[in-house]
Amino acid sequence: MHLTDLSVKKLSLPKGSAADQHTFFDGSFKGFGVRVSVGGTKTFVLIHGKKRTRVTLGRYPKISLAEARALARTALGNAQDAPTKRASTISFVDAREQFLEDARMKTKLSTFIEYQRLLTKHFDFKGQLAAVSRQDIMDVIDELKESPSTAQHAFVAVRTLMNWAVRRGYLAISPMPALRFKNTSRSRILTDTELQSVLERAKELGHPYGTIVQLLILTGQRRGEIAGLRRSWVNDDAITFPVGFCKNKREHKIPIGALTREILEGIAGTTDLYFPARGKPELSFNGWSKSKAHFDGPLAFSDYTLHDLRRTYSSNLAKLGVPIHVTEKLLNHVSGTLGGIAGVYNRHGYWEEMVGAVGRASQNIAALELL
């Protein structure tokens, strides 16, 4: 039969069938079809090659007919590079470790750390890599639905692993479902009173997490940038994040305010990293979730993220009259007022303006007696 969206929706086991399942093959795509099981479950499959190898593509309606056809074409293309015997029996855990070893060498350190955290914490499938199904993956993602951001990041991490496995010949096709995540822009800005509470708690808690929070408030940088900060990047008047470290892959230089300098000079240590991970001095701090839960314990509120501190920093600069293009330079935004053609022709660095803005921000905090 020729499969269509309507016909797939209406499929059911043939009347009088004694079998628990029946496969309806698509007349226009050899080997591609829908397996209908008792209870009405419908699964897209592909059967190909001399050995009649069956590949499970995913369940309907979690993936559409069009998506299943696309996956089937990919599987046929990948089948030309058949996995070796060793590849076909590799366990998920071994594949995960190999992937992380590659990621350590080929990605930013912060990206590797995030992949390692997400994949080891949320994905610990037993048995062969090839046995991991779409439903297995969806079960994990569904368990994280109370934290949409974590669910999305975990999905991206395991999708990257599975795509890597396909390229390595460990899988003929990735089992990843086709998901789209709806991103909701946050608008949370801490009030002066809330900011005071956070700063007091940060000073009380101290190094490492409390000190990181202080620097986030004073500099407006991303948490990964502060956690990965190195002594070799700091001089008397500036912090220079090297090319490839920041999110946009560009060098990023910001002035150091008096309060920031005082905090940095007070951090003891013998490694280049200001905030090395516990027990792993070559890695930067990464204990975010547990640290924030402990940090927020005495506070009267916890409905904020560390990124909200960055948004608060930007908003306070606006209240101080700092031009938006100067704020964007401090925050390392390249897609704002200085993006596009403006970024090509305007080569002014705005360093003096940035120094002035940082000084005014520090004075504002001191004036509010937040430190």
Side-chain angles (χ1 to χ4, degrees), residues 57-91:
L57 303 169
R59 287 186 180 180
Y60 174 85
K62 285 193 173 181
I63 67 170
S64 67
L65 175 61
E67 289 169 336
R69 280 201 176 103
L71 290 170
R73 294 188 188 97
T74 301
L76 285 175
N78 291 330
Q80 296 176 358
D81 295 322
T84 64
K85 182 178 180 180
R86 174 177 175 273
S88 64
T89 59
I90 190 172
S91 70

Side-chain angles (χ1 to χ4, degrees), residues 120-348:
T120 56
K121 182 177 181 179
H122 301 298
F123 301 95
D124 194 26
F125 302 126
K126 307 301 181 185
Q128 297 180 5
L129 173 68
V132 177
S133 69
R134 288 171 181 265
Q135 191 59 51
D136 293 331
I137 294 168
M138 282 307 305
D139 287 345
V140 174
I141 301 303
D142 287 342
E143 288 178 359
L144 300 173
K145 62 184 178 182
E146 296 300 323
S147 178
S149 177
T150 300
Q152 181 173 1
H153 291 153
F155 177 85
V156 170
V158 73
R159 181 181 63 190
T160 305
L161 185 158
M162 293 301 182
N163 289 341
W164 168 90
V166 171
R167 292 195 301 271
R168 289 290 296 265
Y170 289 170
L171 293 174
I173 187 171
S174 169
M176 293 303 297
L179 289 183
R180 294 180 179 87
F181 290 86
K182 183 182 293 185
N183 293 319
T184 303
S185 298
R186 289 182 60 86
S187 57
R188 178 80 158 92
I189 297 172
L190 275 68
T191 65
D192 287 346
T193 300
E194 290 174 331
L195 199 58
Q196 181 178 20
S197 297
V198 171
L199 278 163
E200 288 178 350
R201 174 62 175 151
K203 293 173 70 175
E204 174 192 354
L205 186 62
H207 193 275
Y209 188 81
T211 308
I212 290 174
V213 170
Q214 286 180 272
L215 292 174
L216 292 177
I217 292 172
L218 288 167
T219 67
Q221 302 308 297
R222 298 178 178 90
R223 72 176 195 181
E225 294 164 357
I226 294 301
L229 185 62
R230 295 178 176 269
R231 299 175 197 276
S232 55
W233 300 349
V234 179
N235 59 32
D236 290 339
D237 64 351
I239 298 173
T240 304
F241 298 98
V243 174
F245 178 76
C246 295
K247 184 177 180 179
N248 58 26
K249 311 293 185 181
R250 300 185 180 187
E251 181 181 273
H252 178 43
K253 183 177 180 180
I254 60 171
I256 296 179
L259 297 175
T260 299
R261 183 183 295 106
E262 180 180 343
I263 291 173
L264 292 176
E265 290 176 349
I267 299 175
T270 58
T271 66
D272 194 28
L273 282 166
Y274 279 102
F275 306 102
R278 180 180 299 177
K280 296 182 179 180
E282 74 280 7
L283 302 179
S284 59
F285 175 87
N286 59 10
W288 300 109
S289 298
K290 290 183 179 178
S291 295
K292 186 175 186 299
H294 175 62
F295 182 93
D296 291 342
L299 299 179
F301 59 95
S302 61
D303 62 331
Y304 73 100
T305 67
L306 293 183
H307 198 77
D308 292 338
L309 300 178
R310 179 173 165 87
R311 187 179 300 105
T312 302
Y313 178 84
S314 175
S315 299
N316 285 340
L317 287 181
K319 287 194 293 185
L320 292 171
V322 175
I324 184 62
H325 58 272
V326 176
T327 298
E328 288 175 345
K329 290 288 287 186
L330 287 168
L331 298 180
N332 200 18
H333 281 170
V334 297
S335 59
T337 58
L338 296 177
I341 195 68
V344 173
Y345 287 101
N346 186 351
R347 312 306 292 180
H348 180 52

